[in-house]
Every structure is written in structure tokens, then in C-alpha cells.
Amino acid sequence: MGLTIAQKIIKAHLVDGEMIPGSDVGLKIDQTLTQDATGTMAYLEFEAMGVDRVKTERSVAYIDHNTLQTGFENADDHRFIQSIAKKHGIYYSRPGNGICHQVHLERFGKPGKTLIGSDSHTPTGGGIGMLAIGAGGMDVAVAMGGGAYYIPMPKMIRVNLTGKLSPFVSAKDVILEVLRILTVKGGVGYIVEYAGEGVKTLSVPERATITNMGAELGATTSIFPSDEITKAFLKAQNREEDFTELSSDPDAVYDKEISIDLSKLEPLAAMPHMPDNVKSITEIGKMKVDQVLIGSCTNSSLYDMLKVAAILDGKTVDPSVSVGIAPGSKQVFNMLADCGALSKLIAAGARILECACGPCIGMGQSPNSKGISLRTFNRNFEGRSGTADAGVYLVSPETAAAAALTGYLTDPRTLDADIESIRLPDKFLINDNMVDAPASVEEAKDVEILRGPNIKPFPKTEPLWDTIDAKAVLKVGDNITTDHIMPAGAKILPYRSNIPYLANFCFTRCDEQFPENCKKYGKGIIIGGENYGQGSSREHAALVPLYLGIKAVVSKSFARIHAANLINAGILPLTFKNAEDYDKITQFDDLELPNIRASIANGAESVVLKNKTTGETYDVVPMLSGRSRDIILAGGLLGYTKESSK
Ligand code: MIC
Ligand code: SF4
């Protein structure tokens, strides 16, 4: 039987397990990336493992999230990451060099290689045919130490692309259409592979926009073939030698298939507050817009920026709109300046932001009260922008630029700008002077690690209890995101290395009393709905509940990265065997998982959850396989790694 592209890469990197969908496979990891908001924890964990030098082909530490430095915290964290990277063989991309996924695509990603990153949008690398997967910091730490990365073997979705995009309809509209069809949980357990004649019409940056936002489908990753277009991109980045051709076998088998005719697509938007709440711009109709933001790892390539500059050229942004633009990398920024496009953006009245995540993670540029914000980003979760009652619409750069000029949601196809003649350059501007190489093995001994007072110790873990008895301290509904569990934003993000402080904000978007209740009872169980923990890869959404005494989460289903993070933190994830049992539990019911340790150790497929308040019992299923069972018994991945290295 033939193989898909992803299956070929998995096969070439398989170090443990069998490629049977759903069963665990251990993969050799070639490259890792971290960003600063998850990086401090990942490096503290790496340090705890006691490995001197990374064992990967390439590991890069990026600073791009926490660049709003309103106190010493971020700057201290940057220095910590810079020094630890230097000591342990990791490349360090300095603040100002750009967003991790954009820079990695430009300078480091390679077709056919495996990459894991402590950021959920790591699948951006699928745009050049990498198997690029988002993971928790602890998994990245283990991979840096040479350990395998474990995932349940995914099933395969094929997205068959035909035709060619019309002018002013773009890659963002393609992925919004996929989200409309598959929804935010439609990709869970799958890798999405793009195929068909339409693939050839899309450049690497366009492909990367599509694989980037595959994260919002809940997919393990997304991938494009590596072809002539990939080769041309790598050549223009002066990296032709990194090219390998990759395509699926003609008889490869997919578990699901959808088709999209690119020529029939029209400009789309994801409406508040979910990336799959998609409608066409014409369906939504005339709507006043207060803010337009262009950038993020989804839409900040040179190609995107040049299109925006052509649309704004010689015009002025509408007086009622605030327009912010953040180019994705220093390479993009520099090239925009050199070709004069930056000047067009400035002249039109755009507020030029540094090349970093910025407003995408709520670091500045929060909209006005009840403001309508059009963003080229990938997430529009409630409150993420920093303004609780704002409405965020996710759109293409073309649609964003159109609204910047008119002040209203506007179909970009009504614009008269010439964007069709825009081509990617044959040569990008190559200057890696903002990437620090690590110290040599010899010099590394003398590198001192610089720690600021914001770095607090890792929360205590303990082996799984014999019996868990605790209250249902919280009950939440479907599609709870990690932004609900552990919000980010300018006020909180600087404390990513300070779990005790972060604990004061845990789940407060759902229940203001949650931290207090946890402290009062000392332990607890969370009850969740479908797709619990979707969104970011932040392991803080598991480490902070761990710190607050959460022992188990029982939900209808879990998002992949979050389930792995819970296990790594030693919190037991369980699903209801009968979804209706969810309705029978009320907040503060006294629950018990009797003899849970023995049941897990014996590999029980399902266990009993007792409701001592109502006297009922429910069957619940531990979301564990062989290895993750041992991790849970040991109280998390750190304990497990220590035990298994004894
Ligand atoms: C995000 O987009 O939510 C983030 C910030 O990039 C996160 C990582 C984090 O929480 O630090 C992600 O997507 O993984
Ligand atoms: Fe940064 Fe936003 Fe991309 Fe996350 S989604 S990596 S915050 S730009």
C-alpha cells in the first residue's frame, strides 16, 4: 500500500511503536523551536534533565512573544534564555528578528525533517514539507535531550485543491474555508495533507498560511508536498541544498477527503469568537470596523505585506480606524524598507509595530470597548485581544487592507489596486546577524546562566494517588481554550516563569472564584465538555492547575496537545463513556475515583467515577496508552524521566 507524505516522514523517523492509527508512535526529532512565553519553562525542564548539549540537528530559541517590556520580567527571561541557549548548543534568535514560525520557515526549516516546537503554530513548517508539530515545553525539552517524541499515530485527511485563486482572494480564505467545513475539532487525531492541481498555484508563504492555521482545526499537523515551488523558495533563501522532493504515492490511502475549487472561493471571515465561525464578507454585509491589524505568524510574509502596501499606496487610512502592521521577520521588514513598500504603509497612516507576535497575544493594541477589530491572525477567542467585549474577525490581508481604507467591512474585490503583478523575489535578503550561534563545547563550560527574580521553581509533582477524592471545583462547557484556562495578555504573560503568581488568574474568565476555591479545598477535579483545552500549546494550562491541586480532568473529549500536557504534568485526563453523564454532575459535587492507581497500573480500559453527593456512578475512560500510563503513575514526565534513567 502506498504512503502519504506524512506517513513517509513518520516511517523514516520511527523509533518506537507501529504506524497503526491511534497507537503511540515515538519519533526521532531533527529540529526543535521554542518561543519565550513557553521557552523559560522548557529550558528549566531541559536543565532538570541534566543533559549538557542538545542532541538535535538544529534547535532554535526565539524571542517574539514577550517583547512588551513594562518591567524587568521579560528582559530577565530573555537573558535567561540567551544564556542557557548559548551554554547548551541552541541557536538564539534575538528580539527584533521576528516571529518564530516565519523566521524558521525562512531560515531553518527543511522538507522531510521532523520539527517540534513549544508553540501550537509550529505546523507552519508544513508549508515547506516538514513534519512540524506543536508540543508542550516538556516534550520539547525531552526531544532536545535526544528523546523520542510520542504522539498517537494520526489518521489522514486529504484536501484536494483544484483551480486557481481569483485576485483579492487568498490563502487565508482557503484555510477559513477548510475551518468552515471541518470545524475547530474536525482535525483532532488527523494530519491534513494538501494535494491536487491547485497546490502548484500556491507559493510557499501561501502554503504556510494554510498549514499555520491548521492548528485551529485541532489537527496534529498539516503538510504540503515539497516540489519545484519549494525548491525555488529555498533557492531564494540561499538554501537550495536543503531541498528534497516529497510527494504522496499515487495509491496512498486517506481516511477522509475534501475538495476545494480555489477559483470558486470568495473572501471570508471568521466571526467572533471562534475560528470556525466562518461566513463570506458579502454574507456578513456592511459593518463598521474600528481597528485593523495585519501581521502574526499566519499573515506576515513579504508577499502579504507587499499586497497590503499596493492596496494602501497613495491613499490614507480611514479616520475612524486604527491600523497596525507588524511584519513577520527582520528579513520581511528590511526588504519592505529597501523596496519602498514600507514608505507606502507609513505614508498611508499605518502604525508600524515591531516584528513580533504583539497584539495577536494581547501584547498591546487592545481595541476600544465593544470595538470591532479585523485581524489577519489565527485566533479570535473571547477576551484574547485584551478587550473583553471586543469582536474580533479573522480575515485575509486583502480584506483587512480594504477595511483600513473604507472603515467598513469591504469586499476587497471592489478595490482597484494592482496586486496581481506582485511576485516573490528570486533572492531574499539574507542577513542572519540576529541569530546567535551557541558556544563551542569548550567555551560552554564558562557560560554563566543568568536568572532573574521572576523565575520561580517548578510546581511539585507527586505519584498518582491510590484513590482520588475531591470536589468538582469547576464545570465548564464545550471548546474551552487554553486562553480560558490560563489567559495571556500584557498583564499576565510576563509571569510565564512564575507559576504561583499565574495561579491567581487561572480560569478566572469562566469563574472568578476558581483560584480561591482550589486553595480552599486544596485539591479538585475539573469537569469539561467537548474539545477541552483547544488552542495554544502552553503547558501553563496544565502546570498552573497542578499547582492549584487539580488531580484529574473529566471531559467529553480533549484537544491533543493539552491532553499530552496534562499527562506530562501528572494530571489524569478522563473522558465520559456516556456523554450524558456530563449533565449529571454539578459544581462542588464530591467525586471519587476509587483505587485509581491500581486500575491505571493494570491498564483498565475504563474506571468508575463515583458521585458521592448524588450516589451515582459513571464509567470514565483514562486517555492513556502504555507509556503515558507510566508517566501518570510517576506523577508526570519529569518524575518518569528521572525514574526511567535510574
Ligand atoms: C498563542 O498563539 O496562543 C501562543 C501564545 O503562541 C501559544 C503559546 C503560548 O501560550 O505561549 C501557542 O499557540 O502555543
Ligand atoms: Fe505569536 Fe500569535 Fe503566532 Fe501565537 S499565533 S505564535 S502569539 S503570532
Side-chain angles (χ1 to χ4, degrees):
M1 196 174 72
L3 295 178
T4 68
I5 303 169
Q7 288 165 345
K8 287 183 188 183
I9 304 179
I10 292 175
K11 193 172 170 205
H13 290 82
L14 194 69
V15 289
D16 193 11
E18 275 179 76
M19 292 170 58
I20 303 165
S23 80
D24 271 359
V25 284
L27 303 179
K28 177 186 174 294
I29 296 303
D30 302 319
Q31 299 191 345
T32 63
L33 72 79
T34 57
Q35 37 92 334
D36 48 334
T38 53
T40 41
M41 275 296 152
Y43 293 114
L44 287 171
E45 288 150 1
F46 177 74
E47 232 185 351
M49 285 165 29
V51 178
D52 274 349
R53 218 166 164 83
V54 289
K55 305 234 161 48
T56 44
E57 291 171 14
R58 173 81 68 176
S59 286
V60 190
Y62 293 91
I63 306 293
D64 54 2
H65 281 62
N66 264 325
T67 56
L68 200 68
Q69 294 158 225
T70 52
F72 62 89
E73 292 86 359
N74 296 159
D76 280 3
D77 285 355
H78 299 171
R79 275 159 47 105
F80 166 68
I81 295 176
Q82 185 169 26
S83 56
I84 203 160
K86 191 164 187 190
K87 193 171 182 74
H88 294 291
I90 299 146
Y91 286 76
Y92 176 75
S93 170
R94 292 159 61 181
N97 197 44
I99 305 174
C100 54
H101 309 303
Q102 176 67 26
V103 178
H104 208 85
L105 188 79
E106 291 167 356
R107 306 303 305 141
F108 300 112
K110 292 186 188 178
K113 295 283 180 182
T114 50
L115 162 73
I116 66 166
S118 63
D119 190 281
S120 61
H121 291 101
T122 304
T124 313
I128 41 167
M130 286 196 103
L131 191 81
I133 307 178
M138 239 185 260
D139 283 320
V140 176
V142 168
M144 286 192 289
Y149 173 56
Y150 283 81
I151 46 165
M153 180 66 199
K155 291 194 272 186
M156 296 293 313
I157 298 182
R158 177 181 152 112
V159 181
N160 195 38
L161 300 177
T162 57
K164 186 177 180 320
L165 290 169
S166 326
F168 298 99
V169 182
S170 74
K172 181 62 156 278
D173 300 309
V174 178
I175 186 62
L176 288 174
E177 175 67 2
V178 179
L179 273 152
R180 195 186 61 76
I181 301 171
L182 293 176
T183 79
V184 289
K185 46 180 202 274
V188 178
Y190 288 93
I191 292 179
V192 183
E193 212 166 281
Y194 290 83
E197 283 302 297
V199 163
K200 288 202 202 86
T201 67
L202 298 170
S203 65
V204 166
E206 290 174 297
R207 295 174 182 185
T209 293
I210 296 171
T211 55
N212 168 282
M213 223 179 150
E216 276 53 64
L217 296 165
T220 303
T221 189
S222 304
I223 192 164
F224 270 84
S226 172
D227 56 11
E228 284 307 303
I229 291 167
T230 323
K231 190 175 180 179
F233 176 80
L234 287 169
K235 190 171 173 207
Q237 290 285 357
N238 219 356
R239 307 202 281 126
E240 204 180 350
E241 69 285 359
D242 291 345
F243 174 71
T244 346
E245 194 173 333
L246 276 173
S247 57
S248 58
D249 292 330
D251 56 342
V253 180
Y254 294 82
D255 302 277
K256 231 190 221 178
E257 185 160 339
I258 60 170
S259 280
I260 295 177
D261 181 349
L262 298 175
S263 60
K264 296 226 170 76
L265 273 186
E266 48 178 318
L268 302 172
M271 306 195 301
H273 298 286
M274 275 297 147
D276 60 357
N277 190 11
V278 174
K279 276 204 180 137
S280 73
I281 301 297
T282 42
E283 261 176 295
I284 302 171
K286 198 168 178 189
M287 177 183 69
K288 182 74 198 83
V289 171
D290 304 294
Q291 182 187 51
V292 168
L293 289 172
I294 300 171
S296 92
C297 55
T298 316
N299 278 122
S300 61
S301 67
L302 181 67
Y303 185 53
D304 284 336
M305 295 290 151
L306 290 176
K307 286 189 290 186
V308 173
I311 295 171
L312 300 188
D313 190 10
K315 312 219 165 68
T316 302
V317 302
D318 188 82
S320 67
V321 194
S322 169
V323 180
I325 300 182
S329 68
K330 176 168 147 289
Q331 183 184 75
V332 173
F333 217 155
N334 246 189
M335 292 184 76
L336 282 177
D338 287 353
C339 75
L342 182 61
S343 177
K344 293 178 187 167
L345 299 175
I346 298 170
R351 301 167 65 179
I352 308 297
L353 309 173
E354 77 172 310
C355 50
C357 299
C360 177
I361 189 61
M363 297 302 264
Q365 302 282 324
S366 299
N368 55 293
S369 315
K370 300 202 172 63
I372 295 297
S373 179
L374 249 56
R375 302 178 165 209
T376 65
F377 308 168
N378 49 39
R379 288 187 174 144
N380 58 348
F381 304 147
E382 199 169 1
R384 183 174 159 104
S385 68
T387 303
D389 57 8
V392 174
Y393 289 69
L394 306 174
V395 297
S396 70
E398 291 86 336
T399 303
L405 293 177
T406 61
Y408 285 89
L409 184 68
T410 303
D411 188 332
R413 291 172 298 181
T414 57
L415 298 169
D416 63 0
D418 170 28
I419 58 168
E420 272 177 275
S421 59
I422 297 172
R423 297 275 173 277
L424 283 184
D426 293 335
K427 278 265 157 274
F428 286 93
L429 181 75
I430 314 293
N431 180 358
D432 294 326
N433 62 340
M434 291 293 278
V435 180
D436 295 353
S440 67
V441 176
E442 222 8 74
E443 288 161 6
K445 294 187 189 105
D446 301 325
V447 175
E448 188 200 342
I449 296 178
L450 308 170
R451 276 170 235 272
N454 190 36
I455 298 182
K456 295 280 182 284
F458 193 80
K460 275 211 184 69
T461 58
E462 46 185 4
L464 183 67
W465 290 358
D466 291 336
T467 286
I468 297 177
D469 64 331
K471 277 191 189 301
V473 279
L474 181 73
K475 184 175 176 184
V476 288
D478 291 346
N479 290 324
I480 283 294
T481 71
T482 50
D483 278 87
H484 290 104
I485 306 173
M486 201 49 256
K491 294 194 189 84
I492 312 178
L493 209 57
Y495 297 95
R496 279 292 181 85
S497 350
N498 187 342
I499 301 289
Y501 183 80
L502 285 182
N504 301 320
F505 303 92
C506 186
F507 264 123
T508 47
R509 277 190 190 150
C510 302
D511 175 359
E512 278 200 0
Q513 294 307 313
F514 177 75
E516 279 316 305
N517 287 335
C518 289
K519 284 179 192 159
K520 180 159 131 202
Y521 299 115
K523 57 187 178 177
I525 295 177
I526 293 173
I527 306 299
E530 296 281 7
N531 202 19
Y532 179 87
Q534 68 159 327
S536 145
S537 66
R538 61 190 73 149
E539 58 187 339
H540 303 78
L543 295 178
V544 174
L546 164 72
Y547 174 82
L548 286 170
I550 298 304
K551 296 289 163 198
V553 180
V554 189
S555 75
K556 291 186 190 168
S557 65
F558 286 91
R560 179 189 65 87
I561 306 179
H562 187 62
N565 284 341
L566 286 173
I567 295 167
N568 287 349
I571 298 176
L572 183 60
L574 302 145
T575 53
F576 289 104
K577 202 163 196 178
N578 305 309
E580 317 81 75
D581 288 342
Y582 165 89
D583 300 318
K584 299 180 186 154
I585 301 177
T586 315
Q587 190 179 17
F588 302 126
D589 279 356
D590 283 305
L591 304 178
E592 186 178 274
L593 289 157
N595 301 319
I596 187 70
R597 186 174 176 89
S599 308
I600 299 288
N602 293 333
E605 295 270 304
S606 107
V607 295
V608 169
L609 174 68
K610 271 196 196 162
N611 189 334
K612 295 201 285 190
T613 307
T614 64
E616 293 164 335
T617 59
Y618 322 110
D619 288 332
V620 291
V621 180
M623 301 304 290
L624 302 172
S625 60
R627 176 177 172 270
S628 51
R629 210 170 279 137
D630 294 337
I631 296 177
I632 276 289
L633 290 170
L637 188 57
L638 278 187
Y640 168 81
T641 313
K642 274 187 205 141
E643 260 178 35
S644 42
S645 56
K646 263 181 208 160

